[in-house]
Amino acid sequence: MSRSARLVPAVASALALALTGTGCGGGVHGTPGGAGLRDPYFPKAGNGGYDVGHYALTLDYTPATRRLTGTAVITARATKDLSAFDLDLAGLHVDSVGVDGRDARYNRAGQELTVRPHDDLREGRTFRTTVRYSGVPRTLTDPDGSAEGWLTTADGALGLGEPVGSMAWFPGNHHPSDKASYDIAITVPQGLQAVSNGEPEGRSTRGGRTTYRWHTAQPMADYLVMVAIGHFDITRSKGPGGLPVLTAVDPTQAEASAGVLARLPEVVKWEEDTFGPYPFSSVGAVVDRPDDAGYALETQNRPVFPGAPELGTLVHELAHQWYGDSVTPKSWRDMWLNEGFATYAQWLWDEDHGGDTAEQTFLSYYRAHDDALWAFPPATPSNAAHISASPVYERGAMVLHKIRQKVGDEAFFALLRAWPASHRYGNASTADFTAWVQRRFPGKDFGEIWKDWLYGDGRPAHP
Ligand code: TRP
Ligand code: ZN
């Protein structure tokens, strides 16, 4: 349909009017982009027909009323001729939608906000969608039972996204395969702070409300976007090579966090020595109170911790900046590429700092006969509730250890650096990884490792 429309614009235009009663700009006759990207675990996550380049989010939040007012300006490129496209948004009230400055029609069904622009959008065209919205954002419950989306904290809120929480606080193409740059401005009552990813771009106070501006230039997956609102002690310093470090710590956690956060530059330095250059333009951490969230999360530049982190957790979340944040899974099935690497980073940290060797850690997991560890293969979690279960983390790390055993330390440590270097700022699937490893070592056969450790059911007979 779209091809013929381009050949015979007048006919296509008349046909489109007859069929739908809507306008059809420039002779384009598009079709709807589609409501999901067919992710194997979250089929409605993300949307078809376009690719987002940039999000400009302007948020205003008042903890006392829990009311959020937002404007999202989403710059995207059509990947086909579009008559309509979807954004993901859960809850909240949509006040208006515009595309390239003209009001657009829209309707909502579940998490799908379907936008019908005044004129159809031709493939390749860059267009700007403005969504104004407001309301009390929801806390969503993951398939695994944990809380994500908008979390109300002791003195403010936390916006967290993994796996599908960001749709609770901004509309977008909410799937890890569509990464974008971000500008986020958050206005809060004067006296509170608002922290996000990337680098601060100033703040201003007017009429008793303060706006904090944050800029993230490097591509970021939606599940790694974060805002933290509350009282924070904010510290700025320099890490390895002059890398800007920004930490935001809830004052009640300051004392307990000081020791471990003082080691953050040392952790980044060790990770750069082990994984290659740090991929982003700043680093840091957000420490909220222990009850504010049920887990730590590797939000880009600045992981979030509920209470003072253990050193191992800091090592894990910072390792994700390479494995997960810079090289991002193509789908939620590929989670072991995040968690296996971040877990292996902890094993390596221990090995390098007088603790157990990775071989000892590997063997102790192998010998423990813990049924949960062998419940499913790392490459194919049994369902969406299990994408963060131990086979993804520890068995994922065991796959990496098996590769190390096969290729030897020198080649393995080169591989640890080459993987994030060769897929920097992109996406990768398990199949991309196995093909890439096999290409690097044409003389070696990884078939058994993939079959038994990555895709195989149950516990392999030999460690
Ligand atoms: N990615 C987090 C970590 O390992 C854990 C996590 C939090 C998670 N929420 C999740 C994993 C949702 C999968 C899905 O540091
Ligand atoms: Zn992790």
Side-chain angles (χ1 to χ4, degrees), residues 23-201:
C24 189
V28 188
H29 184 204
T31 52
L37 290 171
R38 301 199 191 91
D39 185 277
Y41 295 77
F42 297 91
K44 284 187 285 187
N47 306 285
Y50 65 96
D51 183 11
V52 177
H54 183 73
Y55 290 89
L57 307 179
T58 305
L59 310 175
D60 184 298
Y61 186 69
T62 303
T65 59
R66 300 187 9 230
R67 193 178 157 79
L68 177 73
T69 306
T71 302
V73 179
I74 303 166
T75 307
R77 194 176 45 81
T79 55
K80 59 188 278 274
D81 290 348
L82 287 172
S83 60
F85 59 91
D86 279 19
L87 297 166
D88 298 318
L89 183 68
L92 299 165
H93 179 262
V94 173
D95 301 301
S96 69
V97 181
V99 176
D100 287 338
R102 295 192 75 155
D103 279 348
R105 296 197 297 168
Y106 59 91
N107 71 283
R108 303 190 67 185
Q111 71 182 60
E112 301 302 321
L113 165 61
T114 303
V115 178
R116 185 177 285 277
H118 183 275
D119 298 318
D120 286 9
L121 301 164
R122 188 187 292 282
E123 179 181 350
R125 154 99 176 263
T126 297
F127 62 101
R128 209 146 68 161
T129 306
T130 302
V131 182
R132 292 180 205 285
Y133 59 101
S134 56
V136 175
R138 289 182 191 166
T139 305
L140 306 177
T141 305
D142 266 12
D144 76 0
S146 60
E148 57 167 323
W150 197 259
L151 312 184
T152 302
T153 63
D155 58 358
L158 264 176
L160 295 179
E162 192 177 22
V164 290
S166 53
M167 65 180 171
W169 52 282
F170 68 96
N173 195 26
H174 290 320
H175 188 266
S177 58
D178 191 359
K179 298 163 76 165
S181 57
Y182 283 75
D183 281 287
I184 302 180
I186 313 137
T187 301
V188 293
Q190 187 173 1
L192 291 182
Q193 282 82 43
V195 179
S196 187
N197 315 85
E199 289 87 57
E201 292 210 317

Side-chain angles (χ1 to χ4, degrees), residues 39-42 331-337 339 375-393 395 430 454-457:
D39 185 277
Y41 295 77
F42 297 91
S331 90
W332 289 110
R333 177 150 54 201
D334 307 312
M335 267 293 274
W336 80 276
L337 287 172
E339 303 304 347
F376 59 83
T380 55
S382 38
N383 58 53
H386 289 121
I387 61 170
S388 58
S390 63
V392 174
Y393 284 67
R395 265 190 83 175
T430 301
L454 186 53
Y455 289 101
D457 282 318

